[in-house]
Amino acid sequence: MNKKNLKLVSAALLATLTMGTTFTGCKDYDDDINNLQEQITANKTAIEKINSLIASGSVITNVAKTANGVTVTLSNGNTFELTNGAAGAAGKDADVWTIVDGYWAKNGVKTEYKAVGEDGTPGAPGEPGLPGADGKDGAIYRPNTETGNFDIVTWDAEGNEVVEDSNISWKAAGLSAVLTGTDLVLSGVEGTEGTVTISLSSALRGFTFMPEYTKLGEPWMLYPIFKYSSLTAANQDSKTESWKQGSEYKNINNGMVAKYKVTPSNAKEADLKNLSYDIINPKDIMPKMIATKAESLIDAQFGSFANGELSVDVKFSDDFTKWVDNNLETDIITQIALQATVGDEVITSTQYVTVEPKTIGNFELANPKVKGNYHYRTAINTPQTEAGNQLAAWDGGPDSQDFTMVYGKTINLFDYVETHNPVSGDGGATCSAIDIEQFGLNYKFELVKNYTLGTPATDQADFIDDSDIANGNITSKVYSKEGIAAVGRTPIIRVKLMDGTKVVKVAYIKILITDKEVLPIDPIKITVADELAFDCAKDAKVAITVKQMNEEVYLAAGLSKAEFHKIYQTLEDKDQNDGIKAEQTEVPGDETTYVINFTMSKDDVWANSGKTIEHTVTYKGANVPDVVITFTINVEDITKTASVKTADMLKNIWAADYSYAKFNVAVPTTPTDANPDNCKFENDLNYPFVTENGIIKGFENITYAFAKENENSALVVGKYTVKVTLADDTLKAQILKVDGKAVTKASEVVATIKNTNAVGDVKGTNVVTYAGTETAKALLNTNAMFAYVGATTVKCAEDPAKVITIDFNGKDYFQANFIRPINVAGIATGEFIDAVDKGNVGSYVALEDLVALTDWRKLAFADNAHFYGFYGLDEKSINVNKENVKTTVNGDPILLSSTNTEFDVMTAADMKQAYPSEAAKFTSKYGYIVYYNGTATVNEAYTLTVPVTVTYKWGTTDEVEVTVNVVKTIGQAKKN
């Protein structure tokens, strides 16, 4: 059983017992956990012992159900109990399946499910697929360890297996055991995950390759080949030292380790000693191509075998490598399968694996103690961008060391060198460490001589004891003695990657000898006191204090300021997509003092308003652990809304509950203004508010716009159903229905908003203009037309992107009602007299006297004659629907046309022509209605109901039924 699984199960069970529980004491729980662990350990021990005994020749003779699991009996008489891992009453749900007379038996009771063919016997090799005499339809039932069900297995005419899930479970809620002809399969054993398979025999059955690499969904075996051309030196131990590459290349193929799962996992190790590989596809071609026997192309040697896993040491011949390498681009692929020869039997892996050489030829010598890819310099006097230290080793100055060593202490250079194989990928090259022993390579270290510094010139090699450098050991010295004088010296070590006596690679390591060992520093967390504040004119800057730098950085590192900055010379600030940039800056004073400063652009401050950001920087030094500092920085919570309250709204311009503001046409410019051009529907949007400098008090600039809440696909305005849309600063509407009946209308402009910015002393304007389109006029004359208007200002006058939303009593918009300019009352100021002579007073009523017109201020047209002209009424503006005039002469209203009376609408000219003797009376610009009944005497007064519409500059009013009184027949009053 897998030890890892046991640990995981134990941990999971412990977590189950402890999570969400309030403890009053630990002893009882400790006992439970200990008992459970003992149970798990007992199962593990039992399974390992069973496998061991089977490997030594014992066989399982019986599996029986117990109160809490199953008992396994072996041929040597030993019994082992395995416990139930499921919840519930112990043993209640346990099932044991065995084969009785060729059929599956559940807990000893034989079922109808055929287990083997007629000629087969449980556990013995044979032909289990052949139909047996007693087999149902020639099928057998085989347990599936993945689904937990029995599979029904049949065979087609070609002898191929046909497998179908029977949906019959062999797993129980608790422990289940299935004893097949070859295995004992256990499920639900305490301390295990999934199933446990115990082979009834340790006889080797096969292998399954465990790939480290897949390609096209299939496992591949990549084996490494190293190619190099050896180096030779020129001007060694001088500033001009160089290494030249030869022209001939050598291949090093030292093989690889391949891993396999072995079936059964308790196979005998002795059966795994005689290994080889079978080569398919090109095996008939390959020997002819390379004149070598196929059997000698690949050497397979037993490596190790534990927990069911086999390691094989694989060595490919040079001929094999060359042949595969030359045919990689062809259709002739090479596949191999592991074989084990046991006696006279050859057992082959079920899986053939494609092999391919992986050429390696770009080794880099690197420092394993530095995170990332710290490659050493390969030239002694040339800065190299690909190297970890990008300064020249010879002339790089005191900061060009690769790592430090404490004087008086010995270090082993083997701890500071490894070989990398850079692999190109996204974002550049990434490195993986190479096991150089795999290629038979090794490191050789040498002390560079004649590297002199100072006056008089001092050879830095005199400060290193290299007597044991062959074993990688070096110690600081002062010529022949030890001493603190070695501190500050920078000797150079030459490291060679060797293939025997040939030099594969050369690199240079520069060491700084120090008087203090640098220990790893725990990650540091610092809270920056000041917040990144928004400023319209500049970027935001904050910094930690000098006190924080000393107490929370230097003190935490256990170093003085000078020591810290000598060791950690670089502050790395990687982009963290948070808008913050960090840098180390100097604070003016008597001596250099450093702090860490943070900058964020005003745009980023705006975008990150109110956030708390953790920003990490890293101090880096040569061959010392990084110092990681995480700063917590607050960004100003910028107020991005401004409010207009009731106190800033002009009471008389708003509805009583301040739910909407009223917008209307202009008033006449003079007491006699009759010019309709002056009847404009343009409104200053600031007008309903208390203002200062022309805009709402408290603001420097405002931009108004129709709010998105206007958009409505079925808005009802009076008798109209409309679709409202927005386009830039324009409100549009399309009439869809009139009085519920669908109509076909195009979308038209209803209103627009224009914002003009202030320029110098000239104030800006914010104007909403109501349109004169047919649709706009129709909606206006319902006296129910409105729009939602929103407003914004800006944080910075020069930066329109920094928008502040204005709310009105908590809403992002206010409602603007567009008031109908005129109103029509349905009561006439004139009347008719029945049976009066035609053309006389009482037989006609002037159209302007037929309706009582008032403007939006409730001022009467009758008292302000210039209103007719100002609001755009002409001689055709007052219209009567003659066909629908009604009369109450019969009591209830009936159509006037159904009575023997006369009714007409006539112009003044028509009246003058008809009644020339009365022509002087007919002065109405708009015309008259004429009514006459001269054939009967009417004893009681009655009324006419006259439908009237008024057309003016801003559209046509809805039809109004005007009541006109008809006085009883002339003279009747005197008779009564």
Side-chain angles (χ1 to χ4, degrees):
M1 189 171 72
N2 193 306
K3 294 180 180 180
K4 180 180 179 183
N5 287 345
L6 280 171
K7 291 179 181 177
L8 290 172
V9 171
S10 300
L13 290 168
L14 177 60
T16 303
L17 288 171
T18 57
M19 285 177 65
T21 306
T22 301
F23 288 93
T24 56
C26 294
K27 183 178 185 302
D28 292 339
Y29 293 102
D30 289 344
D31 290 345
D32 290 341
I33 295 169
N34 289 336
N35 291 338
L36 181 59
Q37 185 59 55
E38 289 173 2
Q39 193 170 299
I40 293 170
T41 303
N43 285 335
K44 174 179 178 293
T45 302
I47 292 171
E48 290 177 347
K49 186 65 175 175
I50 292 170
N51 279 325
S52 175
L53 290 171
I54 290 174
S56 63
S58 295
V59 295
I60 295 176
T61 58
N62 188 42
V63 180
K65 176 178 176 179
T66 66
N68 191 35
V70 297
T71 296
V72 179
T73 303
L74 270 66
S75 57
N76 64 358
N78 289 352
T79 60
F80 300 90
E81 184 174 0
L82 303 172
T83 57
N84 196 330
K92 181 178 179 181
D93 297 322
D95 286 330
V96 176
W97 293 81
T98 55
I99 299 174
V100 176
D101 299 330
Y103 289 84
W104 288 108
K106 181 179 180 180
N107 299 323
V109 179
K110 191 165 82 171
T111 69
E112 61 179 314
Y113 314 138
K114 192 72 175 171
V116 294
E118 185 180 47
D119 295 332
T121 57
E127 298 176 344
L130 295 178
D134 297 329
K136 185 177 181 180
D137 298 328
I140 65 168
Y141 287 73
R142 186 166 65 198
N144 187 318
T145 58
E146 292 184 2
T147 65
N149 293 337
F150 284 103
D151 286 339
I152 302 174
V153 183
T154 57
W155 288 262
D156 60 20
E158 287 76 27
N160 300 312
E161 275 193 3
V162 179
V163 179
E164 179 184 0
D165 192 338
S166 71
N167 292 318
I168 300 169
S169 176
W170 59 265
K171 280 187 177 181
L175 188 143
S176 297
V178 181
L179 185 62
T180 70
T182 58
D183 299 302
L184 171 62
V185 182
L186 301 167
S187 173
V189 178
E190 196 74 74
T192 66
E193 296 176 357
T195 58
V196 177
T197 301
I198 300 174
S199 176
L200 302 187
S201 166
S202 60
L204 179 64
R205 289 186 228 159
F207 317 95
T208 303
F209 180 59
M210 300 169 63
E212 294 183 354
Y213 173 74
T214 58
K215 185 175 180 179
L216 303 175
E218 297 294 331
W220 283 53
M221 182 184 291
L222 298 182
Y223 61 95
I225 300 174
F226 176 56
K227 295 184 177 181
Y228 79 93
S229 178
S230 60
L231 304 175
T232 55
N235 303 322
Q236 195 162 330
D237 288 326
S238 74
K239 182 178 178 178
T240 58
E241 177 176 321
S242 63
W243 293 82
K244 185 178 180 181
Q245 196 173 48
S247 59
E248 294 186 5
Y249 278 83
K250 178 182 178 181
N251 291 344
I252 301 177
N253 167 24
N254 275 28
M256 59 174 296
V257 176
K259 294 185 179 294
Y260 292 84
K261 279 282 187 183
V262 176
T263 304
S265 60
N266 60 342
K268 297 177 182 178
E269 185 175 306
D271 292 344
L272 302 172
K273 298 295 185 178
N274 190 3
L275 301 174
S276 62
Y277 275 98
D278 181 41
I279 307 173
I280 65 168
N281 292 342
K283 67 179 180 181
D284 295 331
I285 304 171
M286 184 180 291
K288 299 175 183 177
M289 298 289 290
I290 60 179
T292 307
K293 291 184 178 180
E295 292 77 8
S296 64
L297 296 176
I298 308 175
D299 180 57
Q301 296 293 328
F302 174 85
S304 63
F305 177 58
N307 298 320
E309 291 187 7
L310 169 66
S311 293
V312 181
D313 295 328
V314 185
K315 183 72 167 63
F316 302 94
S317 70
D318 287 342
D319 284 341
F320 180 87
T321 298
K322 291 176 182 177
W323 194 92
V324 173
D325 204 12
N326 291 335
N327 287 277
L328 283 177
E329 303 302 324
T330 70
D331 293 332
I332 308 174
I333 64 172
T334 306
Q335 292 185 310
I336 63 175
L338 184 66
Q339 295 178 324
T341 302
V342 182
D344 295 331
E345 184 180 6
V346 177
I347 299 165
T348 304
S349 170
T350 57
Q351 194 174 30
Y352 279 81
V353 179
T354 303
V355 295
E356 180 179 318
K358 177 184 179 183
T359 302
I360 303 170
N362 186 27
F363 282 171
E364 296 287 351
L365 300 179
N367 187 342
K369 293 184 177 291
V370 178
K371 292 180 181 178
N373 303 324
Y374 190 97
H375 299 153
Y376 290 124
R377 292 157 286 199
T378 57
I380 198 167
N381 196 31
T382 304
Q384 295 170 277
T385 56
E386 71 276 10
N389 190 319
Q390 297 177 12
L391 299 173
W394 194 280
D395 286 336
D399 298 335
S400 61
Q401 74 271 9
D402 294 289
F403 61 85
T404 62
M405 65 177 290
V406 180
Y407 85 94
K409 290 194 175 182
T410 299
I411 65 169
N412 190 285
L413 291 169
F414 286 106
D415 295 334
Y416 291 84
V417 179
E418 71 180 2
T419 300
H420 282 178
N421 175 32
V423 178
S424 296
D426 293 339
T430 57
C431 289
S432 58
I434 295 294
D435 179 10
I436 63 170
E437 293 183 2
Q438 178 183 356
F439 298 101
L441 306 177
N442 64 282
Y443 298 118
K444 181 179 181 181
F445 301 103
E446 297 170 345
L447 186 60
V448 174
K449 307 293 186 180
N450 303 319
Y451 173 50
T452 60
L453 297 174
T455 304
T458 304
D459 191 344
Q460 302 298 291
D462 290 334
F463 298 93
I464 286 290
D465 180 357
D466 65 342
S467 58
D468 196 26
I469 200 170
N471 295 314
N473 296 316
I474 59 172
T475 307
S476 68
K477 67 169 185 174
V478 180
Y479 294 95
S480 61
K481 299 180 180 180
E482 293 184 6
I484 197 170
V487 173
R489 306 301 183 174
T490 55
I492 299 175
I493 303 295
R494 182 188 305 112
V495 55
K496 298 178 180 177
L497 181 64
M498 306 295 294
D499 178 21
T501 59
K502 294 184 177 181
V503 180
V504 176
K505 194 82 174 181
V506 173
Y508 299 93
I509 304 172
K510 191 171 184 178
I511 302 172
L512 172 64
I513 302 172
T514 66
D515 60 350
K516 191 166 187 176
E517 184 175 6
V518 180
L519 299 174
I521 300 169
D522 291 335
I524 298 171
K525 292 189 175 182
I526 298 176
T527 299
V528 180
D530 297 326
E531 67 179 10
L532 288 162
F534 181 80
D535 190 310
C536 288
K538 58 185 179 181
D539 294 339
K541 290 183 181 293
V542 293
I544 63 171
T545 64
V546 173
K547 183 173 183 284
Q548 285 179 308
M549 192 73 182
N550 279 274
E551 291 182 348
E552 301 184 54
V553 179
Y554 302 148
L555 191 60
L559 298 168
S560 69
K561 179 192 71 177
E563 289 172 330
F564 183 89
H565 290 289
K566 183 176 182 180
I567 297 169
Y568 302 101
Q569 297 178 355
T570 304
L571 180 69
E572 180 181 84
D573 178 39
K574 292 185 177 179
D575 185 7
Q576 293 157 55
N577 295 318
D578 57 10
I580 294 177
K581 294 181 180 178
E583 62 179 343
Q584 181 177 270
T585 58
E586 296 181 12
V587 178
D590 294 338
E591 60 178 13
T592 303
T593 302
Y594 298 101
V595 295
I596 299 174
N597 190 70
F598 305 92
T599 303
M600 179 180 276
S601 71
K602 58 186 178 181
D603 291 339
D604 283 324
V605 174
W606 183 267
N608 290 284
S609 167
K611 291 183 180 179
T612 296
I613 297 175
E614 288 192 345
H615 189 86
T616 299
V617 301
T618 305
Y619 271 109
K620 305 183 79 69
N623 196 49
V624 291
D626 293 344
V627 179
V628 179
I629 310 176
T630 300
F631 296 90
T632 300
I633 308 171
N634 292 319
V635 184
E636 178 190 356
D637 190 3
I638 306 167
T639 301
K640 297 182 180 180
T641 59
S643 296
V644 177
K645 301 298 184 184
T646 303
D648 296 319
M649 298 178 178
L650 297 177
K651 180 178 181 181
N652 291 329
I653 298 177
W654 291 80
D657 60 355
Y658 292 93
S659 57
Y660 63 86
K662 305 169 190 176
F663 290 86
N664 39 256
V665 296
V667 300
T669 59
T670 68
T672 59
D673 185 1
N675 186 354
D677 291 341
N678 295 331
C679 187
K680 298 178 180 180
F681 212 133
E682 296 177 351
N683 287 263
D684 184 347
L685 286 164
N686 298 290
Y687 181 69
F689 306 97
V690 177
T691 61
E692 188 174 64
N693 297 323
I695 61 174
I696 301 176
K697 184 178 179 181
F699 296 94
E700 294 183 3
N701 51 66
I702 289 181
T703 298
Y704 290 92
F706 292 113
K708 64 181 184 303
E709 284 79 6
N710 285 291
E711 293 189 308
N712 193 327
S713 60
L715 178 69
V716 176
V717 182
K719 64 181 180 181
Y720 301 102
T721 301
V722 296
K723 178 181 179 181
V724 182
T725 56
L726 298 178
D728 297 326
D729 293 328
T730 302
L731 187 75
K732 290 186 175 183
Q734 179 184 14
I735 296 177
L736 305 176
K737 296 179 182 179
V738 180
D739 288 329
K741 295 181 180 180
V743 296
T744 303
K745 295 279 188 180
S747 179
E748 292 187 308
V749 174
V750 172
T752 57
I753 291 177
K754 183 177 181 181
N755 298 285
T756 303
N757 295 327
V759 178
D761 295 332
V762 180
K763 296 177 181 178
T765 57
N766 309 101
V767 177
V768 58
T769 301
Y770 200 81
T773 62
E774 180 183 345
T775 297
K777 291 177 178 180
L779 299 177
L780 177 65
N781 281 283
T782 64
N783 212 29
M785 184 57 195
F786 68 92
Y788 298 127
V789 178
T792 58
T793 184
V794 293
K795 184 76 171 178
C796 311
E798 70 281 2
D799 189 351
K802 307 295 186 294
V803 176
I804 303 293
T805 301
I806 300 174
D807 70 63
F808 302 87
N809 277 335
K811 289 186 177 180
D812 289 342
Y813 56 86
F814 67 90
Q815 181 173 320
N817 280 23
F818 299 105
I819 306 302
R820 184 174 60 204
I822 68 170
N823 296 291
V824 182
I827 300 176
T829 57
E831 65 180 6
F832 291 113
I833 302 173
D834 187 67
V836 73
D837 292 343
K838 289 182 179 181
N840 286 340
V841 175
S843 67
Y844 59 87
V845 175
L847 290 181
E848 62 266 31
D849 295 331
L850 185 61
V851 290
L853 297 177
T854 57
D855 73 356
W856 53 275
R857 299 168 294 177
K858 299 183 180 179
L859 298 178
F861 279 51
D863 300 328
N864 299 274
H866 61 289
F867 280 8
Y868 290 96
F870 182 78
Y871 286 105
L873 277 73
D874 59 22
E875 61 273 9
K876 297 180 180 180
S877 287
I878 303 174
N879 300 285
V880 174
N881 185 350
K882 294 192 297 183
E883 287 73 17
N884 287 335
V885 176
K886 295 179 182 179
T887 178
T888 59
V889 71
N890 194 37
D892 294 332
I894 60 174
L895 288 173
L896 183 61
S897 60
S898 66
T899 66
N900 191 21
T901 59
E902 296 178 20
F903 183 87
D904 203 355
V905 180
M906 300 175 70
T907 66
D910 292 337
M911 292 291 284
K912 289 177 180 181
Q913 184 176 357
Y915 312 109
S917 62
E918 304 293 326
K921 299 177 182 178
F922 306 129
T923 60
S924 173
K925 176 180 178 179
Y926 307 101
Y928 299 85
I929 56 172
V930 180
Y931 172 75
Y932 180 71
N933 172 26
T935 60
T937 299
V938 178
N939 298 318
E940 298 292 340
Y942 60 95
T943 61
L944 298 181
T945 303
V946 182
V948 180
T949 60
V950 177
T951 300
Y952 66 114
K953 178 177 180 177
W954 292 101
T956 300
T957 65
D958 287 344
E959 193 172 76
V960 177
E961 291 187 336
V962 179
T963 301
V964 184
N965 292 323
V966 181
V967 180
K968 59 187 176 179
T969 302
I970 191 169
Q972 291 298 308
K974 294 179 180 179
K975 292 179 180 179
N976 292 340

